[in-house]
Amino acid sequence: MTTTTTNPYTQTTRPEPKAGDVDPKRAVDVIIIGGGPAGLSAALCLGRSRRRVAVFDAGSPRHAVAEGVHNLISREGVAPAALRELTWAQMAAYPSVLGPLRQRVGAPRRAGDVWLLDDAEGQTWRARALVLATGVIDEHPDIPGYAERWGHSVHPCPFCHGWEIRDQPVAVLGAGEGAVHMARLVRGWTDDVVLATHGERLTPEQQGVLAEAEIPVYTQPVA
């Protein structure tokens, strides 16, 4: 029986290619999925190790809306897009690094001792190893005005933007242990902190921890 695969971009079914059938131009040592700082760091290290690498980057980074990258020595405050451009300019010294390949890819699959995957054009790539550096996707609450403020006055990480909000009134949005921990953590940057649970309830233990830290709690839905 012939094994078939459906390309998610073309929605066509064709015979599953064998590892030896892949065009040599698309045969690499390592495929990296994700062109952010993690993926680019891996590409740089592999390029300097004289490995042939393909870097796929869909071009929609999580931190694109941020005004600057922080806690990165020698590049403090650089715009995310500028950081990527500079990195790729430096990567030009290593011709074995291919990219950035601006497209999404299908699900990787094993074929013996190698990896195969299809790009958005339906072309199959082969690699000895695979690096997943896709990062995370933020799940935002459905609150009017939230999206417009994301990355400007609404932030996911105090280590990234705590300095910018130091000594200002700060509301931590969320519930559960993670939110309690975050509210206490933010106290390192400002004493004016409240926790807004957006209608969720806290346990008596969590309420006690926040009361001891003198952090007010608002349980009403956020408008």
Side-chain angles (χ1 to χ4, degrees), residues 172-198:
V172 173
L173 178 63
E177 289 296 332
V180 172
H181 172 75
M182 182 63 73
R184 298 175 66 197
L185 183 64
V186 170
R187 287 289 294 272
W189 286 270
T190 177
D191 291 330
D192 193 351
V193 180
V194 301
L195 176 63
T197 69
H198 195 41

Side-chain angles (χ1 to χ4, degrees), residues 50-73:
R50 307 190 71 178
R51 296 297 185 266
R52 184 171 164 83
V53 184
V55 182
F56 287 91
D57 181 2
S60 55
R62 177 195 187 198
H63 62 188
V65 298
E67 297 178 358
V69 174
H70 300 292
N71 299 322
L72 181 62
I73 59 173

Side-chain angles (χ1 to χ4, degrees), residues 32 45 56 59 121 151 165 182 186 190 204 215 219 223:
I32 298 175
C45 182
F56 287 91
E121 298 174 353
I165 54 91
M182 182 63 73
V186 170
T190 177
I215 297 176
T219 58

Side-chain angles (χ1 to χ4, degrees), residues 12-182:
T12 59
T13 301
R14 55 186 174 79
E16 172 67 31
K18 297 179 180 179
D21 296 337
V22 175
D23 188 327
K25 294 181 181 179
R26 291 186 292 277
V28 297
D29 294 309
V30 183
I31 289 174
I32 298 175
I33 304 176
L40 293 179
S41 294
L44 177 61
C45 182
L46 289 163
R48 289 179 55 83
S49 301
R50 307 190 71 178
R51 296 297 185 266
R52 184 171 164 83
V53 184
V55 182
F56 287 91
D57 181 2
S60 55
R62 177 195 187 198
H63 62 188
V65 298
E67 297 178 358
V69 174
H70 300 292
N71 299 322
L72 181 62
I73 59 173
S74 82
R75 292 293 179 266
E76 171 63 27
V78 64
L83 177 63
R84 290 178 175 229
E85 291 176 4
L86 175 62
T87 302
W88 275 110
Q90 296 176 340
M91 206 87 75
Y94 311 104
S96 63
V97 179
L98 311 179
L101 304 174
R102 296 295 190 187
Q103 52 185 302
R104 296 183 179 276
V105 296
R109 55 201 185 276
R110 292 290 285 177
D113 59 352
V114 300
W115 288 95
L116 298 177
L117 63 76
D118 297 331
D119 62 23
E121 298 174 353
Q123 301 295 330
T124 300
W125 290 72
R126 183 186 72 210
R128 295 164 53 194
L130 181 71
V131 174
L132 296 179
T134 54
V136 299
I137 296 176
D138 296 295
E139 296 182 358
H140 301 296
D142 186 15
I143 298 175
Y146 181 100
E148 291 81 0
R149 291 169 174 80
W150 178 249
H152 303 289
S153 61
V154 178
H155 304 289
C157 171
F159 294 105
C160 296
H161 292 94
W163 177 259
E164 283 68 33
I165 54 91
R166 66 192 185 281
D167 298 326
Q168 298 180 40
V170 173
V172 173
L173 178 63
E177 289 296 332
V180 172
H181 172 75
M182 182 63 73

